[in-house]
């Protein structure tokens, strides 16, 4: 079964799964840093639902992926028959987090394992090898091109004599 937790952040209740990305109101932390939610309302560990009154002794570890702003909202107010209008825009700042661990009473209930790291490393190795091969090819092509140029110059000088 899918394990999840319900947290409270920014006045909203959010259901989180390990490995999922969540958007919350802006948190004052840097990208890549770890953030721990302690305001956990409930946890489902695959068999039992543990609910708090109002919260439980649990932690949710998440890593900050992005700080940004949502799309612009236009607030347009008007009053009939008086030609009164106001237009205002608003962009809500947010923080995007990747949920890594659910911890209940100092025991890890669920943990995120990133399989993409191995793939990324392999891709980097392949691209660096390709770059090295391309450099070798480019250097050999340049040597051949220099030889051709020098041969053409020698032939032109002979033809001029």
């Amino acid at each position: 079964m899918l394990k999840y937790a319900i947290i409270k952040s920014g006045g909203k209740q959010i259901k989180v799964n390990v490995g999922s990305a969540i958007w919350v109101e802006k948190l004052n932390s840097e990208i890549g840093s770890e953030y721990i939610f302690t305001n956990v309302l409930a946890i489902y560990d695959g068999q039992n639902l543990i609910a708090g009154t109002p919260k439980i002794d649990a932690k949710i570890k998440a890593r900050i992926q992005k700080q940004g702003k949502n799309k612009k909202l236009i607030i347009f107010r008007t009053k009939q028959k008086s030609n009164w209008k106001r237009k205002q825009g608003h962009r809500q700042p947010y923080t995007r987090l990747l949920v890594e661990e659910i911890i209940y009473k100092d025991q890890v209930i669920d943990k995120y394992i990133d399989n993409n790291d191995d793939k990324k490393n392999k891709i980097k190795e392949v691209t660096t090898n390709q770059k090295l091969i391309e450099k070798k090819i480019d250097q050999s092509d340049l040597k051949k091109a220099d030889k051709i140029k020098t041969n053409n110059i020698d032939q032109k000088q002979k033809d001029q004599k």
Side-chain angles (χ1 to χ4, degrees):
M1 289 295 299
L2 189 62
K3 299 174 184 177
Y4 65 86
I6 298 173
I7 62 170
K8 187 173 183 181
S9 176
K12 298 173 184 71
Q13 294 179 4
I14 304 166
K15 181 181 175 182
V16 296
N17 299 327
V18 171
S20 65
I22 59 171
W23 287 263
V24 297
E25 288 189 18
K26 186 168 171 49
L27 303 171
N28 291 327
S29 296
E30 293 186 19
I31 296 172
S33 64
E34 188 176 89
Y35 190 84
I36 299 174
F37 291 98
T38 56
N39 202 358
V40 181
L41 305 176
I43 288 180
Y44 181 69
D45 64 357
Q47 297 169 352
N48 302 320
L49 178 68
I50 305 160
T53 55
K55 58 183 185 177
I56 59 175
D57 182 27
K59 296 177 187 173
I60 307 297
K61 285 187 181 180
R63 187 150 315 271
I64 295 178
Q65 289 184 327
K66 183 179 178 183
Q67 302 274 12
K69 289 185 178 182
N70 285 333
K71 292 181 180 179
K72 182 177 274 191
L73 296 175
I74 304 296
I75 297 99
F76 188 77
R77 298 183 297 168
T78 183
K79 291 186 180 178
Q80 294 179 355
K81 301 177 186 175
S82 66
N83 201 21
W84 183 85
K85 298 173 189 170
R86 294 290 182 266
K87 182 179 178 182
Q88 182 181 5
H90 175 73
R91 292 183 72 190
Q92 181 68 36
Y94 71 89
T95 301
R96 181 174 152 194
L97 299 123
L98 175 70
V99 179
E100 293 182 338
E101 284 184 7
I102 297 176
I103 302 169
Y104 177 63
K105 291 186 178 178
D106 297 328
Q107 291 181 342
V108 176
I109 291 180
D110 204 359
K111 189 172 184 173
Y112 177 66
I113 300 169
D114 190 10
N115 295 329
N116 292 333
D117 285 341
D118 296 333
K119 292 177 184 177
K120 288 178 186 176
N121 291 337
K122 288 179 183 178
I123 290 170
K124 285 181 185 177
E125 290 175 10
V126 169
T127 54
T128 53
N129 289 340
Q130 287 176 349
K131 287 179 183 177
L132 292 173
I133 292 169
E134 289 172 2
K135 284 182 183 177
K136 289 178 183 177
I137 291 171
D138 290 341
Q139 290 175 354
S140 63
D141 289 342
L142 289 175
K143 289 178 184 177
K144 289 177 185 176
D146 288 339
K147 287 180 183 179
I148 292 170
K149 285 181 186 176
T150 54
N151 288 340
N152 290 341
I153 292 171
D154 291 342
Q155 288 178 355
K156 287 182 183 177
Q157 289 176 354
K158 288 180 183 177
D159 292 338
Q160 288 177 358
K161 291 181 183 179

